[in-house]
Amino acid sequence: MIIEKLTLFNYKNIAEATLQLSPKMNCFIGHNGAGKTNVLDAVYFLSFCHSASNPVDSQVIRHGQDFLMLDGEYMDNGQPLVISCGMKRGQKKHFKRNKKEYRRLSEHIGLIPIVMISPADTYLIEGGSEERRRLMDVVIAQTDHSYIDALSRYNKALQQRNVMLKQEEEPDEEMMAIFEEQMASAGEAIFRQRTLFTEQLKPLFQQYYEQISGGREEVSLNYVSHCQRGPLLDVIRRDRLKDRAVGYSLHGVHRDDLEITLEGRLMKREGSQGQQKTFVISLKLAQFELLRRVMPTTPLLLLDDIFDKLDAQRVEQIVSLVSSDDFGQIFMTDTNREHLDQILAKSSHDYHIYNVREGSIVQA
Protein backbone atom coordinates (compact mmCIF):
# COMPACT_ATOMS: atom_id res chain seq x y z
CA MET A 1 0.00 0.00 0.00
CA ILE A 2 1.33 3.44 -0.95
CA ILE A 3 -0.14 6.92 -1.20
CA GLU A 4 0.49 8.46 -4.59
CA LYS A 5 -1.21 11.80 -3.93
CA LEU A 6 -2.26 13.54 -0.71
CA THR A 7 -4.50 16.61 -0.61
CA LEU A 8 -5.07 18.63 2.56
CA PHE A 9 -7.45 21.55 3.04
CA ASN A 10 -7.74 23.37 6.41
CA TYR A 11 -5.99 20.55 8.30
CA LYS A 12 -4.47 22.03 11.47
CA ASN A 13 -2.12 24.84 10.35
CA ILE A 14 -2.06 23.71 6.69
CA ALA A 15 -4.43 25.88 4.65
CA GLU A 16 -4.02 23.93 1.43
CA ALA A 17 -1.49 21.47 0.01
CA THR A 18 -1.38 18.85 -2.74
CA LEU A 19 1.57 16.46 -2.58
CA GLN A 20 2.70 14.02 -5.28
CA LEU A 21 4.49 11.47 -3.14
CA SER A 22 7.43 9.13 -3.56
CA PRO A 23 6.53 5.43 -3.34
CA LYS A 24 9.42 4.92 -0.93
CA MET A 25 10.75 7.87 1.14
CA ASN A 26 9.06 11.21 1.85
CA CYS A 27 11.05 13.58 4.05
CA PHE A 28 9.62 16.75 5.63
CA ILE A 29 12.10 19.29 7.02
CA GLY A 30 11.22 22.32 9.10
CA HIS A 31 11.43 24.00 12.48
CA ASN A 32 9.27 22.85 15.39
CA GLY A 33 5.71 24.07 14.90
CA ALA A 34 6.13 24.56 11.13
CA GLY A 35 3.52 21.90 10.31
CA LYS A 36 5.59 18.92 9.20
CA THR A 37 4.09 16.64 11.86
CA ASN A 38 0.61 17.70 10.72
CA VAL A 39 1.25 16.06 7.34
CA LEU A 40 1.98 12.74 9.05
CA ASP A 41 -1.07 13.22 11.24
CA ALA A 42 -3.24 13.68 8.15
CA VAL A 43 -1.93 10.37 6.76
CA TYR A 44 -2.73 8.77 10.12
CA PHE A 45 -6.22 10.34 10.09
CA LEU A 46 -6.99 8.76 6.72
CA SER A 47 -6.13 5.33 8.16
CA PHE A 48 -7.74 5.47 11.60
CA CYS A 49 -10.49 8.08 11.08
CA HIS A 50 -9.05 10.21 13.87
CA SER A 51 -5.94 12.21 14.71
CA ALA A 52 -2.97 10.65 16.48
CA SER A 53 -2.69 13.61 18.85
CA ASN A 54 -6.07 15.39 19.05
CA PRO A 55 -8.89 13.41 20.68
CA VAL A 56 -11.48 16.03 19.67
CA ASP A 57 -12.13 16.05 15.92
CA SER A 58 -12.95 19.76 15.75
CA GLN A 59 -9.43 20.55 17.00
CA VAL A 60 -7.88 19.42 13.72
CA ILE A 61 -9.85 21.98 11.69
CA ARG A 62 -7.68 24.99 10.92
CA HIS A 63 -8.23 27.87 13.34
CA GLY A 64 -10.86 30.28 12.09
CA GLN A 65 -12.19 27.87 9.45
CA ASP A 66 -15.46 25.90 9.43
CA PHE A 67 -14.49 22.70 7.65
CA LEU A 68 -11.66 20.46 6.49
CA MET A 69 -11.09 18.06 3.64
CA LEU A 70 -8.56 15.25 3.24
CA ASP A 71 -8.07 13.13 0.17
CA GLY A 72 -5.65 10.26 -0.38
CA GLU A 73 -5.08 8.50 -3.69
CA TYR A 74 -3.55 5.10 -2.95
CA MET A 75 -2.24 2.17 -4.94
CA ASP A 76 -2.89 -1.21 -3.33
CA ASN A 77 -1.25 -4.15 -5.12
CA GLY A 78 -1.83 -2.48 -8.47
CA GLN A 79 -5.40 -1.42 -7.68
CA PRO A 80 -6.27 2.30 -7.25
CA LEU A 81 -8.02 3.33 -4.05
CA VAL A 82 -9.33 6.77 -3.05
CA ILE A 83 -10.10 7.62 0.58
CA SER A 84 -11.62 10.98 1.37
CA CYS A 85 -12.77 12.72 4.54
CA GLY A 86 -14.89 15.81 4.97
CA MET A 87 -15.92 17.42 8.23
CA LYS A 88 -17.73 20.61 9.23
CA ARG A 89 -17.24 22.13 12.65
CA GLY A 90 -19.89 20.84 15.03
CA GLN A 91 -20.95 18.01 12.71
CA LYS A 92 -19.87 14.40 12.30
CA LYS A 93 -17.13 13.49 9.85
CA HIS A 94 -17.81 11.65 6.61
CA PHE A 95 -15.41 9.02 5.24
CA LYS A 96 -15.69 7.68 1.71
CA ARG A 97 -13.95 4.81 -0.05
CA ASN A 98 -13.95 5.24 -3.82
CA LYS A 99 -16.73 7.86 -3.41
CA LYS A 100 -18.95 5.50 -1.38
CA GLU A 101 -19.55 6.58 2.22
CA TYR A 102 -19.00 4.12 5.05
CA ARG A 103 -21.99 3.20 7.19
CA ARG A 104 -19.67 2.54 10.15
CA LEU A 105 -16.18 3.96 10.49
CA SER A 106 -15.00 0.69 12.06
CA GLU A 107 -15.38 -0.90 8.60
CA HIS A 108 -12.43 1.21 7.44
CA ILE A 109 -9.97 0.25 10.21
CA GLY A 110 -7.30 -2.11 8.89
CA LEU A 111 -7.76 -1.25 5.22
CA ILE A 112 -4.65 0.96 5.30
CA PRO A 113 -2.30 -0.49 7.96
CA ILE A 114 -0.04 2.09 9.50
CA VAL A 115 2.57 2.47 12.25
CA MET A 116 3.57 5.87 13.64
CA ILE A 117 6.59 6.57 15.84
CA SER A 118 6.61 9.99 17.51
CA PRO A 119 7.97 11.80 20.60
CA ALA A 120 4.57 11.29 22.27
CA ASP A 121 5.28 7.55 22.40
CA THR A 122 7.30 8.07 25.59
CA TYR A 123 3.88 7.86 27.28
CA LEU A 124 4.08 4.12 26.61
CA ILE A 125 6.71 4.04 29.34
CA GLU A 126 5.93 7.05 31.51
CA GLY A 127 2.14 7.02 31.21
CA GLY A 128 -0.55 4.86 32.75
CA SER A 129 -1.61 1.40 31.65
CA GLU A 130 -4.25 2.83 29.30
CA GLU A 131 -1.45 3.95 26.95
CA ARG A 132 -0.05 0.43 26.69
CA ARG A 133 -3.52 -1.09 26.25
CA ARG A 134 -4.09 1.36 23.41
CA LEU A 135 -0.93 0.07 21.70
CA MET A 136 -2.29 -3.47 21.81
CA ASP A 137 -5.73 -2.39 20.67
CA VAL A 138 -4.43 -0.34 17.71
CA VAL A 139 -2.46 -3.27 16.30
CA ILE A 140 -5.00 -6.02 16.91
CA ALA A 141 -7.91 -3.92 15.61
CA GLN A 142 -6.12 -3.55 12.26
CA THR A 143 -5.93 -7.32 11.85
CA ASP A 144 -9.28 -8.51 13.25
CA HIS A 145 -12.62 -6.66 13.19
CA SER A 146 -14.07 -9.11 15.74
CA TYR A 147 -11.68 -7.55 18.25
CA ILE A 148 -13.24 -4.12 17.68
CA ASP A 149 -16.67 -5.64 18.31
CA ALA A 150 -15.46 -7.32 21.51
CA LEU A 151 -14.00 -4.04 22.77
CA SER A 152 -17.24 -2.25 22.01
CA ARG A 153 -19.34 -4.87 23.83
CA TYR A 154 -17.01 -4.91 26.80
CA ASN A 155 -16.84 -1.13 27.20
CA LYS A 156 -20.62 -0.79 26.91
CA ALA A 157 -21.22 -3.42 29.60
CA LEU A 158 -18.49 -1.89 31.79
CA GLN A 159 -20.08 1.55 31.52
CA GLN A 160 -23.53 0.20 32.42
CA ARG A 161 -22.16 -1.75 35.39
CA ASN A 162 -20.33 1.34 36.65
CA VAL A 163 -23.55 3.37 36.48
CA MET A 164 -25.24 0.77 38.68
CA LEU A 165 -22.32 0.71 41.11
CA LYS A 166 -22.67 4.45 41.66
CA GLN A 167 -26.37 4.25 42.54
CA GLU A 168 -27.30 5.01 46.15
CA GLU A 169 -29.88 2.21 46.23
CA GLU A 170 -28.82 -1.42 45.99
CA PRO A 171 -28.38 -2.40 42.30
CA ASP A 172 -30.77 -4.83 40.68
CA GLU A 173 -29.11 -8.24 41.09
CA GLU A 174 -30.41 -9.61 37.80
CA MET A 175 -29.27 -6.63 35.71
CA MET A 176 -25.90 -6.57 37.44
CA ALA A 177 -25.40 -10.25 36.62
CA ILE A 178 -26.23 -9.62 32.94
CA PHE A 179 -23.66 -6.81 32.64
CA GLU A 180 -21.02 -8.91 34.41
CA GLU A 181 -21.62 -11.85 32.09
CA GLN A 182 -21.30 -9.55 29.06
CA MET A 183 -18.05 -8.13 30.45
CA ALA A 184 -16.66 -11.60 31.09
CA SER A 185 -17.59 -12.99 27.68
CA ALA A 186 -16.15 -10.06 25.71
CA GLY A 187 -13.24 -9.63 28.14
CA GLU A 188 -11.98 -13.19 27.76
CA ALA A 189 -12.06 -12.82 23.96
CA ILE A 190 -10.00 -9.63 24.32
CA PHE A 191 -7.61 -11.41 26.71
CA ARG A 192 -6.98 -14.24 24.23
CA GLN A 193 -6.17 -11.77 21.45
CA ARG A 194 -3.89 -9.66 23.64
CA THR A 195 -2.07 -12.77 24.89
CA LEU A 196 -1.40 -13.95 21.34
CA PHE A 197 -0.33 -10.45 20.32
CA THR A 198 2.20 -10.23 23.16
CA GLU A 199 3.62 -13.68 22.39
CA GLN A 200 4.14 -12.70 18.75
CA LEU A 201 5.44 -9.19 19.46
CA LYS A 202 7.95 -9.95 22.23
CA PRO A 203 10.66 -11.79 20.21
CA LEU A 204 10.44 -9.25 17.37
CA PHE A 205 10.75 -6.39 19.83
CA GLN A 206 13.77 -7.95 21.58
CA GLN A 207 15.44 -8.54 18.22
CA TYR A 208 15.04 -4.88 17.19
CA TYR A 209 16.19 -3.59 20.57
CA GLU A 210 19.30 -5.77 20.48
CA GLN A 211 20.18 -4.51 17.01
CA ILE A 212 19.67 -0.81 17.81
CA SER A 213 21.39 -0.92 21.21
CA GLY A 214 24.24 -3.16 20.08
CA GLY A 215 23.16 -5.91 22.46
CA ARG A 216 24.20 -3.92 25.52
CA GLU A 217 20.94 -4.29 27.46
CA GLU A 218 18.29 -6.93 28.09
CA VAL A 219 14.64 -5.87 27.79
CA SER A 220 11.33 -7.66 28.03
CA LEU A 221 7.54 -7.35 27.87
CA ASN A 222 5.13 -9.04 30.26
CA TYR A 223 1.36 -9.00 29.75
CA VAL A 224 -0.57 -8.69 33.03
CA SER A 225 -4.33 -9.30 33.21
CA HIS A 226 -6.96 -10.14 35.81
CA CYS A 227 -7.95 -12.99 33.46
CA GLN A 228 -4.79 -14.77 34.62
CA ARG A 229 -6.40 -15.19 38.07
CA GLY A 230 -9.13 -17.52 36.80
CA PRO A 231 -12.47 -17.23 34.96
CA LEU A 232 -13.09 -13.51 34.50
CA LEU A 233 -16.72 -13.73 35.62
CA ASP A 234 -15.60 -15.12 38.98
CA VAL A 235 -12.92 -12.43 39.33
CA ILE A 236 -15.40 -9.63 38.60
CA ARG A 237 -18.09 -10.94 40.96
CA ARG A 238 -15.65 -11.73 43.77
CA ASP A 239 -15.09 -8.09 44.71
CA ARG A 240 -18.47 -6.56 43.91
CA LEU A 241 -18.69 -5.11 47.43
CA LYS A 242 -15.38 -3.29 46.97
CA ASP A 243 -16.58 -2.03 43.58
CA ARG A 244 -19.74 -0.67 45.25
CA ALA A 245 -17.60 1.12 47.83
CA VAL A 246 -15.45 2.93 45.25
CA GLY A 247 -18.20 3.32 42.65
CA TYR A 248 -16.50 1.64 39.68
CA SER A 249 -15.22 -1.73 38.45
CA LEU A 250 -11.82 -2.63 39.88
CA HIS A 251 -11.33 -5.81 37.87
CA GLY A 252 -11.44 -6.64 34.19
CA VAL A 253 -9.45 -6.27 30.98
CA HIS A 254 -9.81 -2.48 31.24
CA ARG A 255 -7.05 -2.76 33.86
CA ASP A 256 -4.68 -4.89 31.74
CA ASP A 257 -1.08 -3.75 31.34
CA LEU A 258 2.18 -4.46 29.55
CA GLU A 259 5.07 -4.47 31.99
CA ILE A 260 8.15 -2.97 30.33
CA THR A 261 11.45 -4.01 31.89
CA LEU A 262 15.15 -3.26 31.48
CA GLU A 263 17.51 -5.80 33.03
CA GLY A 264 14.52 -7.17 34.95
CA ARG A 265 13.50 -3.80 36.43
CA LEU A 266 10.75 -1.42 35.32
CA MET A 267 12.01 0.71 32.44
CA LYS A 268 10.40 3.95 33.67
CA ARG A 269 12.43 3.73 36.89
CA GLU A 270 15.73 2.58 35.43
CA GLY A 271 15.99 3.64 31.80
CA SER A 272 17.82 6.72 30.51
CA GLN A 273 16.13 8.93 27.92
CA GLY A 274 18.12 7.21 25.18
CA GLN A 275 17.20 3.74 26.43
CA GLN A 276 13.54 4.66 26.74
CA LYS A 277 13.48 6.07 23.22
CA THR A 278 15.26 2.96 21.90
CA PHE A 279 12.63 0.87 23.66
CA VAL A 280 9.75 2.77 22.06
CA ILE A 281 11.27 2.67 18.56
CA SER A 282 11.99 -1.06 18.87
CA LEU A 283 8.46 -1.69 20.07
CA LYS A 284 6.94 0.21 17.15
CA LEU A 285 9.23 -1.45 14.59
CA ALA A 286 8.18 -4.82 16.00
CA GLN A 287 4.57 -3.69 15.62
CA PHE A 288 5.33 -2.86 11.98
CA GLU A 289 6.94 -6.25 11.34
CA LEU A 290 4.02 -8.07 12.96
CA LEU A 291 1.51 -6.21 10.77
CA ARG A 292 3.65 -6.80 7.68
CA ARG A 293 3.55 -10.55 8.29
CA VAL A 294 -0.20 -10.87 8.82
CA MET A 295 -1.68 -8.14 6.60
CA PRO A 296 -2.20 -8.51 2.83
CA THR A 297 -0.36 -5.22 2.22
CA THR A 298 2.78 -3.60 3.67
CA PRO A 299 1.96 -0.95 6.30
CA LEU A 300 2.90 2.69 5.93
CA LEU A 301 5.60 3.85 8.36
CA LEU A 302 5.48 7.36 9.87
CA LEU A 303 8.65 8.53 11.65
CA ASP A 304 8.21 11.83 13.46
CA ASP A 305 11.42 13.37 14.83
CA ILE A 306 12.74 10.03 16.08
CA PHE A 307 16.49 10.78 16.36
CA ASP A 308 16.43 13.27 19.24
CA LYS A 309 18.18 12.06 22.45
CA LEU A 310 19.85 9.10 20.71
CA ASP A 311 23.60 8.59 20.52
CA ALA A 312 25.34 8.31 17.14
CA GLN A 313 25.58 4.51 17.26
CA ARG A 314 21.83 4.07 17.80
CA VAL A 315 21.02 6.59 15.08
CA GLU A 316 23.25 4.67 12.68
CA GLN A 317 21.48 1.38 13.46
CA ILE A 318 18.03 2.91 12.93
CA VAL A 319 19.20 4.49 9.67
CA SER A 320 20.40 1.08 8.50
CA LEU A 321 17.08 -0.55 9.43
CA VAL A 322 14.68 1.87 7.75
CA SER A 323 16.86 2.05 4.63
CA SER A 324 16.38 -1.68 4.01
CA ASP A 325 13.92 -3.30 1.60
CA ASP A 326 11.80 -4.59 4.52
CA PHE A 327 9.92 -1.32 4.68
CA GLY A 328 7.48 0.09 2.15
CA GLN A 329 6.49 3.74 1.93
CA ILE A 330 7.98 5.92 4.67
CA PHE A 331 7.08 9.41 5.85
CA MET A 332 9.73 11.11 7.97
CA THR A 333 10.12 14.48 9.69
CA ASP A 334 13.18 16.10 11.19
CA THR A 335 14.55 19.52 12.02
CA ASN A 336 18.03 18.28 11.10
CA ARG A 337 18.80 17.70 7.42
CA GLU A 338 21.90 15.68 8.33
CA HIS A 339 19.88 12.75 9.69
CA LEU A 340 17.80 12.56 6.54
CA ASP A 341 20.89 12.80 4.35
CA GLN A 342 22.38 9.81 6.20
CA ILE A 343 19.32 7.71 5.42
CA LEU A 344 19.08 8.83 1.82
CA ALA A 345 22.79 8.15 1.27
CA LYS A 346 22.31 4.53 2.41
CA SER A 347 19.18 3.99 0.34
CA SER A 348 19.02 3.26 -3.37
CA HIS A 349 15.28 3.99 -3.43
CA ASP A 350 13.37 6.96 -4.78
CA TYR A 351 12.78 9.85 -2.36
CA HIS A 352 11.14 13.27 -2.12
CA ILE A 353 12.20 16.09 0.21
CA TYR A 354 9.77 18.80 1.30
CA ASN A 355 10.52 22.05 3.10
CA VAL A 356 7.79 23.04 5.56
CA ARG A 357 7.38 26.56 6.90
CA GLU A 358 4.36 28.04 8.69
CA GLY A 359 2.00 25.49 7.16
CA SER A 360 3.37 25.90 3.64
CA ILE A 361 4.88 22.80 1.99
CA VAL A 362 7.26 23.07 -0.95
CA GLN A 363 9.05 20.14 -2.59
CA ALA A 364 12.80 20.68 -2.68
Side-chain angles (χ1 to χ4, degrees):
M1 179 77 72
I2 62 169
I3 310 179
E4 295 185 322
K5 182 180 178 182
L6 177 66
T7 303
L8 307 88
F9 193 79
N10 288 336
Y11 194 82
K12 296 192 173 181
N13 77 328
I14 302 171
E16 186 174 3
T18 299
L19 308 177
Q20 298 288 344
L21 298 164
S22 162
K24 180 59 181 177
M25 193 85 69
N26 296 278
C27 308
F28 299 86
I29 303 170
H31 297 300
N32 291 329
K36 57 190 186 298
T37 298
N38 295 341
V39 180
L40 272 60
D41 195 63
V43 174
Y44 186 98
F45 200 104
L46 284 172
S47 286
F48 285 108
C49 305
H50 63 80
S51 165
S53 57
N54 295 78
V56 181
D57 284 336
S58 61
Q59 293 178 354
V60 302
I61 299 176
R62 187 166 172 249
H63 181 69
Q65 301 300 313
D66 295 324
F67 70 98
L68 70 75
M69 292 179 62
L70 292 176
D71 191 82
E73 297 181 17
Y74 298 78
M75 187 60 65
D76 181 16
N77 295 320
Q79 296 297 315
L81 170 70
V82 178
I83 302 297
S84 56
C85 172
M87 180 170 59
K88 291 183 178 180
R89 197 177 295 277
Q91 298 183 22
K92 72 172 186 177
K93 58 199 166 194
H94 297 271
F95 262 80
K96 295 181 180 180
R97 174 182 177 181
N98 293 334
K99 298 183 179 181
K100 183 178 180 180
E101 185 163 357
Y102 285 103
R103 290 182 300 172
R104 300 170 58 198
L105 293 181
S106 61
E107 297 172 2
H108 179 65
I109 306 305
L111 178 67
I112 307 167
I114 199 168
V115 173
M116 183 172 185
I117 308 177
S118 77
D121 290 329
T122 56
Y123 289 120
L124 289 170
I125 296 172
E126 300 167 353
S129 59
E130 66 274 8
E131 302 292 341
R132 294 177 285 278
R133 285 193 299 275
R134 188 176 298 116
L135 170 76
M136 294 189 282
D137 294 344
V138 164
V139 182
I140 301 171
Q142 292 183 78
T143 64
D144 189 345
H145 276 195
S146 69
Y147 185 79
I148 301 176
D149 293 336
L151 276 177
S152 177
R153 287 187 283 110
Y154 180 88
N155 289 330
K156 184 176 180 180
L158 172 65
Q159 184 180 28
Q160 291 170 320
R161 183 177 189 266
N162 284 345
V163 169
M164 295 189 72
L165 290 171
K166 290 182 173 69
Q167 294 175 354
E168 291 186 9
E169 66 273 14
E170 193 64 26
D172 181 271
E173 178 72 25
E174 201 169 305
M175 289 302 299
M176 181 68 79
I178 290 173
F179 295 143
E180 289 171 344
E181 288 167 6
Q182 291 173 345
M183 283 178 62
S185 173
E188 290 189 342
I190 292 167
F191 169 71
R192 289 191 293 271
Q193 290 276 52
R194 288 177 177 173
T195 299
L196 178 61
F197 164 77
T198 308
E199 291 172 351
Q200 293 174 330
L201 186 75
K202 182 177 176 179
L204 296 173
F205 156 70
Q206 290 175 321
Q207 177 184 329
Y208 276 117
Y209 193 97
E210 180 178 8
Q211 183 170 348
I212 296 173
S213 68
R216 291 177 289 180
E217 301 128 12
E218 183 178 336
V219 292
S220 190
L221 296 172
N222 181 38
Y223 176 39
V224 180
S225 175
H226 290 143
C227 288
Q228 294 158 342
R229 300 180 182 180
L232 185 56
L233 184 58
D234 293 345
V235 175
I236 293 171
R237 286 178 170 171
R238 193 178 302 149
D239 284 319
R240 190 190 288 175
L241 288 178
K242 289 183 181 179
D243 293 353
R244 278 282 286 156
V246 298
Y248 56 88
S249 302
L250 291 168
H251 296 88
V253 296
H254 62 289
R255 306 297 292 269
D256 285 0
D257 201 357
L258 271 180
E259 285 186 348
I260 298 171
T261 60
L262 172 69
E263 303 294 347
R265 297 180 292 275
L266 289 178
M267 171 70 80
K268 65 180 178 182
R269 296 178 185 170
E270 302 290 336
S272 66
Q273 287 184 319
Q275 288 170 324
Q276 291 189 10
K277 190 147 192 178
T278 302
F279 190 101
V280 167
I281 292 171
S282 302
L283 193 61
K284 289 299 191 80
L285 292 179
Q287 174 186 338
F288 178 93
E289 178 62 22
L290 185 58
L291 285 172
R292 189 174 73 89
R293 292 182 180 187
V294 301
M295 299 294 281
T297 187
T298 302
L300 306 178
L301 181 62
L302 313 183
L303 305 175
D304 185 23
D305 192 23
I306 67 169
F307 297 113
D308 185 41
K309 298 184 177 67
L310 293 177
D311 59 44
Q313 187 260 340
R314 295 182 193 234
V315 169
E316 184 177 347
Q317 290 300 323
I318 295 170
V319 167
S320 176
L321 280 170
V322 300
S323 301
S324 73
D325 292 331
D326 292 335
F327 296 90
Q329 191 177 33
I330 298 174
F331 294 78
M332 182 177 301
T333 73
D334 209 308
T335 57
N336 188 336
R337 176 67 186 262
E338 289 182 17
H339 291 148
L340 298 180
D341 284 341
Q342 287 183 53
I343 294 175
L344 299 176
K346 286 179 174 286
S347 174
S348 59
H349 298 287
D350 178 69
Y351 64 86
H352 289 177
I353 297 177
Y354 302 88
N355 293 315
V356 185
R357 183 176 181 182
E358 296 179 354
S360 176
I361 307 169
V362 179
Q363 185 172 346

